[in-house]
C-alpha cells in the first residue's frame, strides 16, 4: 500500500546547510522509488491557518518509506534540515481509490 512521508516545516533558516540538504535529498529518494508530490507551494487557505510549509513524499510501500528514512544516505543529511528548521515529520499509509469516508467506521 502506498505510504507517504509528510513534514510540516516552520522557521526554516535558509542558508548553506538547507541548500545542501535540498541538493542531496533527491538522490536519497531514488533507491526507494520516492518522489515529491507536494513541496514548497503556497496553499490557498480556505479555513483556518496553517503555520509552516507542507511537504509530501510518496513511496510504493511502508518498507520503502521506512527504508528511505532509516537509510545511511538520508540520515547523513537529516541534521542539515533539523538543525535549521522546526517541524513535524511522519509516515502514514494512504487509502485505495475506492475508499469512502465511512470506511473508517468499520
Amino acid at each position: 500500500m502506498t505510504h507517504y512521508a509528510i513534514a510540516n516545516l516552520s522557521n526554516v533558516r535558509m542558508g548553506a546547510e538547507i541548500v545542501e540538504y535540498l541538493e542531496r535529498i533527491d538522490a536519497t529518494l531514488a533507491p526507494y522509488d520516492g518522489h515529491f508530490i507536494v513541496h514548497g507551494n503556497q496553499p490557498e487557505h480556505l479555513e483556518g491557518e496553517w503555520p509552516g510549509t507542507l511537504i509530501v513524499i510518496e513511496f510504493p510501500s511502508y518498507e520503502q518509506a521506512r527504508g528511505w528514512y532509516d537509510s545511511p544516505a538520508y540520515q547523513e543529511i537529516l541534521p542539515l534540515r533539523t538543525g535549521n528548521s522546526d517541524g513535524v515529520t511522519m509516515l502514514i499509509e494512504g487509502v485505495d481509490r475506492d475508499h469512502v469516508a465511512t470506511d473508517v467506521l468499520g
Side-chain angles (χ1 to χ4, degrees):
M1 177 64 68
T2 302
H3 264 70
Y4 299 92
I6 299 175
N8 182 44
L9 302 182
S10 59
N11 302 315
V12 177
R13 295 169 289 287
M14 288 303 293
E17 289 184 339
I18 289 291
V19 170
E20 181 181 350
Y21 176 84
L22 293 171
E23 290 172 343
R24 294 175 61 188
I25 190 171
D26 292 314
T28 71
L29 295 169
Y32 302 93
D33 200 15
H35 64 277
F36 289 98
I37 59 172
V38 176
H39 189 224
N41 294 333
Q42 292 300 312
E44 176 185 358
H45 293 256
L46 301 176
E47 298 177 23
E49 294 183 29
W50 183 280
T53 301
L54 180 66
I55 296 101
V56 181
I57 304 170
E58 182 179 62
F59 295 89
S61 69
Y62 170 79
E63 292 76 21
Q64 286 165 294
R66 190 64 200 219
W68 162 74
Y69 187 84
D70 292 338
S71 71
Y74 186 67
Q75 289 298 308
E76 182 178 317
I77 68 169
L78 183 58
L80 298 171
R81 177 179 58 78
T82 59
N84 293 284
S85 65
D86 300 321
V88 175
T89 303
M90 65 190 83
L91 299 179
I92 190 165
E93 183 177 20
V95 296
D96 291 325
R97 292 193 57 85
D98 60 349
H99 175 88
V100 294
T102 54
D103 287 348
V104 301
L105 300 175

